[in-house]
Amino acid sequence: MTTLTPDNLQDAASANLADDPRRRAPLVTGDQDFASVTETVTHLALRKPPRAWYIAFGISMALLGLLGVLILYLILSGVGVWGNNQPVAWGFPIVNFVFWVGIGHAGTLISAILFLFRQNWRTGINRFAEAMTIFAVVCAGLFPGIHVGRLWLAYWLVPYPNQMAMWPNFRSPLLWDVFAVGTYATVSLLFWYVGMIPDLATLRDRATTKIRKIVYGLLALGWRGSNRHWQRFEKAYLLLAALATPLVLSVHSVVSFDFAVSQVPGWHTTIFPPYFVAGAIFGGFAMVLALAIPARQWFGLKDLITPRHVDNMAKILLGVGLMVTYAYATEVFIAWYGQSPNEQFAFINRAFGQSGWAYWVMVTCNCFIPQLLWFGKLRRNLWLLWGVAVAVNVGMWFERFVIILSLERDFVPSSWGQFMPTWVDMGMLVGSFGLFFTLFLLFCRYLPMVAIAEVKTVMPQAHAGHGDKQYDDVETDESGTADYRIP
Amino acid sequence: MDSSGQFHFPRWSNLLLPAIGVLAVTAPIYLITLVGYGASPATINVGYRPEQPVEFSHAIHVGELGMDCRYCHTTVEQAAFAAIPPTATCMSCHTNIHPKSIKLLKVRESYQTGQPIEWVKVHDLPDYAYFDHAAHVNKGVSCLECHGRIDRMEVVHQAEELSMGWCLDCHRDPTPSIRPRGQVTNMEWDPAMATDEEQAEIERIHKSLKSTRQLTDCSTCHR
Amino acid sequence: MKNAVTTDHRQSEPDTRQTGPAYWRSLEELAETEQFRAFVENEFPGYEPEQFTGPNRRQFLAVMGASMMLAGLSGCRRWPRRKLAPYTARPEGFVPGKFERYATAYEMAGVAKPLLVTAVDGRPIKIEGNPDHPASRGAADLYAQASILDLYNPHRLQYVKHRTGDKVAESTWSAFGKWSAERMAELEKKQGVGFVVLSEATSSPTVLRLREQLQNKLPKMQWLTWEAVHKGPNPIGLDFEESMTKLLRPIYHFDKAEVIVSIDNDFLMMHPNAVQYAREFAAGRNPDNGRMSKLIVVESTYTVTGSMADVRYAASPYRINAISEQLHKRFNGGGPCEDEVAESIYQSIKDHRGTSLIVPGFYGSHALQAWKLNQLLGNNGKTVTYTRNPDSSIASTIPDGIDTLLLIGGNAAHDDWIRTSERISGARHTIHLTHAENETSQLCDWVLPRAHYLEAWGDCRSYDGTISITQPLIHPIFEDAPREQGGRSVIELLAGLLGEKVTRDTGHKHVRQTLKPQLPDEKTWRKSLHDGLIADSQFKTVVVAKEGQRPETPNVDADFKWVLQIRPDYSLYDGRFADNGWLQELPDPITKIVWDNAALVSPADAKKLDVEHGDLINIEVAKVPENIKLALPVYVLPGQADGVITTTLGYGRTVAGPVGTGVGFSMARLREGVHEITSISKKGPKYKLATTQDHHAIDIVGMRRRGAKVGELIREQTLHDYQHPHEDHHGHGTTVPLTMFGEPDLGDPEPDYRWAMSIDLNKCTGCNACVIACQAENNIPIVGKDEVAMGREMHWLRIDRYFAGDAESADVRAVHQPMMCQHCEDAPCEQVCPVAATVHDAEGLNVMVYNRCIGTRYCSNNCPYKVRRFNYFDYHVKPHNEGHASAIHLGPPDAQQHKIDPVRQMQFNPQVTVRMRGVMEKCTYCTQRIQDAKITAKVEHEQGKRESAIVRDGEITPACAATCATGAIVFGNLKDKNSRVSKLHHQQRSYDILGELNVQPRTKYMKRIRNVEKMEDRTLPNEDHA
């Protein structure tokens, strides 16, 4: 076992294990000062974006167009354009829904929970993780909406007084979903937006065109950086963080109820809520990594999203991956231990039945591949890390697919069937990525990708003894490392 | 835009704050009123008065002449449909009364050619709602309850909203709408004037009714 | 969602004071199609109902309730403005919108199926059996029930077609009349030489009388009867020509037999009298009253009858012949049979003299042996009686060199393409009276539209000879004013040929005239019209005193040969129903294949041939002058005899309308029967066979689980175990209801009813009649082969068929289990629906409210029985044979239903909402019938016409139960302790399916009882050529 010494740690740009925070790798590298950080981040929003942006945007717009056309086709003909059937009445749309809701977890997790736990390394990544959350939730919200047979009546899911004197059925998990996802989307959006206000003011101040000036001006809500503004901002941010934290856990728990509350063998298990939350964090972190690695490369954010950030995320990915693996194992164990023949068969069938291949794709991607992250060397290989992150995303999509496929064989063998996706299913899955990336690229282009103000607080310059003091109320610990200014 | 070329909210925009507050309160009220009242069946359906091919006046026939509903709508007590009277029913009187009236031209024509008069349906329930006239009339629900004061209508119009909520109002509390079976077609009947015998019948019918739980079962009206 | 068919009071008065047509109908903008406009406007021209039945009786026949939803906006209301068109003079006693029922009969292959037809506002919408008729007792088979779809087939032949050279022109009946009068005059000069009538089999006394008249007029004419399915030629060489058995029609009395041996006779389904036989068979198999007969079946493929057998042997036709032969020897004092199957049959029946029954099949030459065996056992006159056989004269081919050929119905060219089509084309003049254009009419000069039996007068005889009158319930749909277009019946055609002027009254007049001896006066006529039969008109029983001459003992060919056996199809029969979507999509009772026929191969043979499900194989059949090659997809069927490949007739039609054309594989170059195969080889790519069960080949993991599961779903017991319950080690305890919550609030007062159903697996033969009944009653669409292959069939009621035992060997049991919504008291579907579209009502129905449904399909996922069906498209509108893009509809989605074919709409039951796309649906226990009965009881009670406002037991019968020949389905009120269903639910055999889920289904199933010592005793191994 190698001994960790301050020396070899300092070498590593990703070092963060030292007890002495001074020994940890800095969270902003390069010769960045406040001005250059501002310039680095606003550069993308205010200047001409790199060519990579245009190419990526073109591709995702094309995919978004495909999604639009397919939705139109769906509305004009019927949900039969998908591969859904008897007995698999839910197919890709619900798989995609759960997948995207899962992705939508990491942003708020990074923002809120890491914020409350004072994990200051989150500053480099929280903004676009939050943005990713919002866009993932947009994608997620789309699918249950269009998956219903008569989508023009989907508003009946909402309780409101009506001439039919009908209320929705509050016993149905689908209704809980409506509330859970709705609340989550609202709070996440607010959290994201509130956190962005100081940076929007920065953009406003640096904007060159009139339209931008006005739009950023309106969005910045008249932010002037006064003490009072900061104080209220921080209070609001803290409150929203506290509000969002339980939601991170509740949303996917509620989504898991769609399955857990039913009596389909393979769905009806009590482990689903924690299992789904773990899975969601797993998938979400993987997606953050999958986005962050190219983003820091193409958009010049290497100094703000440092190897230390990436390494931290990789470790979390590994940790959550183990939780997910544990959940898979528990599921199988309980099926055996519970001695319900239906349940037992559901798991045997999952692994060795007609669609067993999907199960093994899931296990490989979610359980085996992340084990590579035990090795620091591999963690620091960005290409490989990116590959792992993508594999985890694939695996997490398949996890939901495998769950849906439980429907193929339930209680009555005469009704066993097989699910085969149609080209429309495929097109919509790909199209949803188009929607996600279109929104994400627009975000990169027009909004501050990194929380400028927050990053500055973790820079040495923000602290006593470093250059010009910008703030009077900065608390510093003995080491001189700044922490969040929480009253 | 201030002098620096940046956008800042001008001072007067502070005045908008109370306006935003007022709007936040009134907008939902306005929207709820608009949707809840403006688009409700009560607004859209009630008063629907299509033009009919023949100027038949219920006011004259029922109100003035005092004809019973069942004289023309004969099947109302036996069937789900209260059938529209055949032309022959009209002609049974109008062969002698106003035999040459211009207004009855279409009736005579129909009688001669065998081609029906095409009345426009006024009380039009959706096809997935299965209303049964016989079931209601035999349990003492008056024509009045759904059709209003037909005896005062020159041209028939829809008097009630005939929405699901409206049906349920009665199915959840049927008693006020029940009268003795003999008085079902009596437009002038007043519950306050009910004789003891009539009161007893009302009670009997009420007892024979199912619970409101059953009256509000989906299967009661939808098949 | 709007119901496509509205029940506006489309009443009209067929006014009799006026002459000439009176067009009363205006359809406004919806009726866009030229064809429909023409149809509607020609519908009710000056119609004189008095001609039929006297004044004021059923004048409404003239009325077509083809009410329509009229599209278009009026004012600000989005929904359409609808019109009410009342009668000008309503017939007395006629109540618009009320169902009326009339007795009539449908003749198929020369045997009448007595029916009771429901009509509403003048349009027949539902066919059930005639409860007063012994051949039906309320049950109707699937063909009779599905025939209503033929009535409303928009692609029926609507007008007379005349072909000159290559040109086909629209003609008229009067043009044909003129031409035929000239022809007849010419023929009369030659005494009818060269005139051949090729008629489908008919028992109609009126047709036979007119035939005689025609024969008198043209003494040298030839009248031949043609049926594709009959006791066909037996190429194995065991056929008896003109033997005694051909002249006799055996009538079996299954209820009187203790041991029944069926030698390849599918009497429970593929028999002209199957409905009656199934009922009587079930009556003799009640394990609870001690009368439980034993059924032994020897057959070469798995049939419906085989699936009901206590002991079943799979054997090739050769071996079946041998068994028959050996049995005969054994009973004549020979030693023990070589064949152990024959010996075991002998042991089973030898002691049942007078109480056993040998039922011979159509495919061998067993008829005479069976007669002799029954004679030896003393069964003749007891368990089987004989009448004369009216269809003894079925032609197997038609002569050459015909001058004028009149084809009445049928499809001879398709049935026997090689020989017959040539002869038809060779005739100088050809006339075909046909319901819809088919392969035969393509070859004919004159193609005449034939009236549907619900449109015309007629008469026919049931299997035992009882005469039924066929009365019209609707005016010929496509008829125009002067009777120039639209269908005519056979009687009208023959009357026309005899020189009569055909009027509306012709059919009625002739039928009355024929039946004058039996029905001399108006009273008896009215009575038999009402009852649907003429009492005591059955054929006389013939007692055969002298034994028939037994022909030479044929040499039984013991060598193994592959044979191809061609049978009539369970759905399409001989192909006459190919244009019927309901039947095309009806799963085969055994294979569950839809929209196709397949080569059924035993598992052992499949291994031998190295083929599996869906592989195409080439089969070459030995024929003179040259061998015939066929390609067929393989279906591996457990229980199929080794060495036998079975397939069915009726597919591969080339001219069968948009539904039937090109579906499946044609057997038209061969005929029904057994053919020797000279070679089999595997052919190219796989073929997609769509099935409603086992959609895909099941892997080993799945097979193992299925095997375990079947024992739970289907409970079986031997008769011995059942009668000695202490020895029951079955281990299925009753489930204890568990609930966290109290009893549901049913309201105060508690409801009078708790609806429930009981299904007796001991009685269900899997005949599919209930599936069609449900489809007709509940406006269930067909979805097409591709959609079925995706697993999207819409049948609310399906029949699950399970095999038990070793699938690889012939030793495999089959059981049928009708499965529909179980109306669970604690229904999993209800809890998960977010919009409360599926809820419980106080009487225990699991109610599906279509208009509340938004289509999340969660209920379907959570339904353990998987009985919910989802409208992935508007299947009534989407062409069944086109891709998904054909479902595109521009405009409000709920207006898509306006595009349903208006002719097709006429069949819809107005009491059941037509579901639009995006909506879940399922069995409702026929809630419309329940409501109707309840309201009627209440109304009549209020009016003092009825003692109690409570519906009595038996007053409500769901469509499936109503048509079940064996009475396997019983519906009723559990609250009434004396109702049949209450008693059955408490019966020892009753059990819940998936009771362990604690959903508390209201439908209970009753154990199947096998009359064998041990379950394993069921069959002997298939040792044919092991």
Side-chain angles (χ1 to χ4, degrees), chain B residues 69-136:
Chain B
C69 307
R70 287 164 294 192
Y71 183 81
C72 298
H73 303 287
T74 49
T75 65
V76 73
E77 287 183 309
Q78 313 141 39
F81 296 110
I84 305 299
T87 319
T89 308
C90 309
M91 291 306 285
S92 63
C93 295
H94 285 292
T95 322
N96 301 317
I97 305 163
H98 303 307
K100 292 199 174 125
S101 165
I102 275 281
K103 288 181 178 174
L104 290 167
L105 193 66
K106 277 197 182 158
V107 177
R108 288 195 298 273
E109 217 173 70
S110 155
Y111 192 56
Q112 278 158 16
T113 57
Q115 192 171 354
I117 304 163
E118 289 200 335
W119 303 95
V120 182
K121 203 168 181 180
V122 181
H123 300 90
D124 190 6
L125 292 185
D127 295 328
Y128 47 79
Y130 287 86
F131 178 84
D132 194 299
H133 276 91
H136 288 80

Side-chain angles (χ1 to χ4, degrees), chain B residues 77-78 134-135 138, chain C residues 934-944:
Chain B
E77 287 183 309
Q78 313 141 39
N138 283 290
Chain C
K934 272 163 54 186
I935 291 172
T936 307
K938 265 187 267 184
V939 166
E940 287 180 356
H941 174 69
E942 281 295 334
Q943 293 175 348

